[in-house]
Amino acid sequence: MDWDWLFEFLKGMVKPVAALAVVLIAVILSFMQNLGLEKEMVYSIFRAFLQLSIIGFVLQFIFNQDNSGWIILAYLFMVSVAGYTAGQRAKHVPRGKYVAGVSILAGTALTMFVLVVLNVFPFSPRYIIPVAGMMVGNAMTVTGVTMKRLRDDIKIQLSLVETALALGATPRQATLEQVKRSLVIALSPVLDNAKTVGLISLPGAMTGLIMGGASPLEAIQLQIIVMNMLIGASTVSSIMSTYLCWPAFFTKAYQLEAKVFSSD
């Protein structure tokens, strides 16, 4: 068996291991300040090392296969994990993990389909998997915040929503302001990031290209594409989540579902 790949991998890990020096500084500072975060810091960085190493080997395998089935499988795995994580954030939303997963799937799949059709990216593992990962991760955060905020806002303004329903408003009409507020709050960080990109810090995709030897002009072209797709996927996913939340918030008689809003 050829073990050259393993030796090359271990050789390449010398610099990442050397970079642990800055983590050691953080651990020492945490100890000196009695923060109690030393074990969590060590565990977090160990888990990051392990997860990234494993995903590196998995991606290497998928890239070598050049099979669209592996692309879809990897994409669905990312969506499943993202849906579970976003659902955990909005734990008081019934079927929250399902709602989040479907919303993330809809937003990212639509965005990715448009990009492939317009030939922005070819449908190959080397492009689609990293692109999908960025979109899914961003959509996960936005969707989780949207769902949690919508449920919390309706709970805070229960009397207002119930009054609107009593006057004949539909669930959508009665919660229109709460939906708008939750979407604005969830999407604002994405839009703020787009406004300040390149001015405060260089984004990851752009930094990676420049460090990899690409010209800054090529790097900014890719980064513009990335910002566009993040805004598109996040917006579709967050709006979709509000539509999927409504059935759980109201009864068939257009009344608020009391058990959804009784817990803190």
Side-chain angles (χ1 to χ4, degrees), residues 48-259:
F49 260 79
L50 183 62
Q51 289 176 177
L52 289 173
S53 298
I54 292 174
I55 198 63
F57 287 116
V58 171
L59 289 177
Q60 185 68 43
F61 171 79
I62 294 175
F63 290 172
N64 291 336
Q65 302 307 305
D66 196 22
N67 187 317
S68 59
W70 286 106
I71 299 177
I72 296 173
L73 186 62
Y75 168 63
L76 292 177
F77 174 76
M78 289 187 287
V79 170
S80 299
V81 175
Y84 178 85
T85 305
Q88 286 287 93
R89 175 185 289 272
K91 59 184 178 181
H92 294 303
V93 176
R95 304 188 307 277
K97 298 179 181 64
Y98 162 79
V99 170
V102 172
S103 301
I104 295 168
L105 178 65
T108 56
L110 176 62
T111 304
M112 198 153 43
F113 175 76
V114 172
L115 294 176
V116 172
V117 169
L118 294 177
N119 201 30
V120 176
F121 292 116
F123 191 75
S124 67
R126 189 168 296 275
Y127 288 92
I128 295 301
I129 292 178
V131 166
M134 286 186 282
M135 286 193 295
V136 169
N138 210 69
M140 173 190 71
T141 302
V142 172
T143 301
V145 172
T146 300
M147 293 166 58
K148 184 179 186 302
R149 185 70 192 195
L150 177 58
R151 183 262 180 191
D152 291 348
D153 274 8
I154 293 176
K155 181 182 178 181
I156 292 172
Q157 299 180 319
L158 272 179
S159 58
L160 184 63
V161 175
E162 289 175 335
T163 300
L165 291 171
L167 294 174
T170 64
R172 177 171 176 79
Q173 292 170 335
T175 57
L176 186 60
E177 290 303 316
Q178 289 81 8
V179 169
K180 286 182 179 179
R181 189 180 302 111
S182 64
L183 290 172
V184 169
I185 290 174
L187 290 170
S188 289
V190 181
L191 300 177
D192 290 342
N193 189 35
K195 293 174 186 176
T196 59
V197 64
L199 299 178
I200 298 176
S201 63
L202 298 180
M206 183 176 174
T207 302
L209 280 175
I210 293 175
M211 294 179 68
S215 73
L217 296 180
E218 291 176 335
I220 64 167
Q221 290 168 359
L222 176 64
Q223 190 59 50
I224 291 172
I225 296 173
V226 169
M227 297 309 303
N228 291 341
M229 72 185 190
L230 292 183
I231 291 175
S234 298
T235 303
V236 174
S237 296
S238 58
I239 292 176
M240 175 67 74
S241 69
T242 63
Y243 279 94
L244 295 179
C245 281
W246 270 318
F249 290 163
F250 297 90
T251 65
K252 293 181 180 179
Y254 283 2
Q255 296 177 326
L256 284 169
E257 194 70 66
K259 62 182 180 181

